[in-house]
Amino acid sequence: MSDKETLAQQVYRDLKQRILEGQFSSDEMLTERTLALESGISRTPLRAAISRLEKENVISRLPNGALMVRPVTVEQLLEIVQVRRLLEGSAAERAASRPFTEELSQSRERMRYFTSGGDIEFDLFWIDDDAFHNAVAHAAGLPLLASMLTEMRSIARRCTITRTHDRFDQQALEHIAVIDAIEARDGTAARAAMEVHFDSVRTRFLGWLARN
């Protein structure tokens, strides 16, 4: 791999991370010149990174050449929640029929940290939330599902609604319930606990809409 390709990949990761962290709003105009100056790089690797993000529908180019982060609609967000409810409910049930993993055990310990309540930075919880859902997919022996979840979570994370809270104790308790059921080898309970978790997520999003 050439140095130019390596730099383009680095710029791609950095830009996407900034977008996922909400550093660019969906109504903010971006230009190649500004991004190049901020990143301290030439236009060539930047354009390669932008092209990749365009293909992923993360950003779009306007007729005047300006760039904008593509908004994620509420409808898209709720569709992702529904799809994940089905897929991850089945994964939790399957995981209960297989050996309990150290990854799940470690995730449960991390979730216990969040159950004390208090304000938690969104991006901190997101990392451990990501680890939980991946742990269930891996425990179920479904590595392809883990890859699919990464993509769906990246889309959901760009939606403003996902960043409107900083208390995660209830979500942590829901995650622990899933892991406990998997460890008990109760597939039915594991599926039900995962479905309850996504029902809770959906209710929270709809509640935010009702208030705004």
Side-chain angles (χ1 to χ4, degrees), residues 79-98:
E79 182 179 348
I80 287 172
V81 170
Q82 181 61 22
V83 170
R84 289 186 60 193
R85 183 182 188 275
L86 294 171
L87 293 176
E88 296 192 61
S90 295
E93 183 174 25
R94 176 183 167 92
S97 67
R98 296 164 61 88

Side-chain angles (χ1 to χ4, degrees), residues 43-75:
R43 296 282 188 93
T44 301
L46 176 63
R47 284 173 178 158
I50 289 172
S51 177
R52 187 172 173 183
L53 290 169
E54 284 184 279
K55 290 176 181 176
E56 293 179 1
N57 291 319
V58 175
I59 62 176
S60 58
R61 190 180 295 274
L62 302 178
N64 64 1
L67 303 165
M68 290 189 70
V69 176
R70 292 176 67 91
V72 175
T73 67
V74 174
E75 290 76 14

Side-chain angles (χ1 to χ4, degrees), residues 80 83-85 87-88 91 126 130 132-138 142-156 194 198:
I80 287 172
V83 170
R84 289 186 60 193
R85 183 182 188 275
L87 293 176
E88 296 192 61
W126 187 271
D130 206 18
F132 161 73
H133 289 285
N134 283 336
V136 173
H138 293 154
L142 300 171
L144 180 58
L145 174 60
S147 298
M148 294 168 62
L149 293 179
T150 297
E151 180 60 27
M152 285 190 281
R153 285 172 59 79
S154 292
I155 295 171
M194 186 66 86
F198 279 104

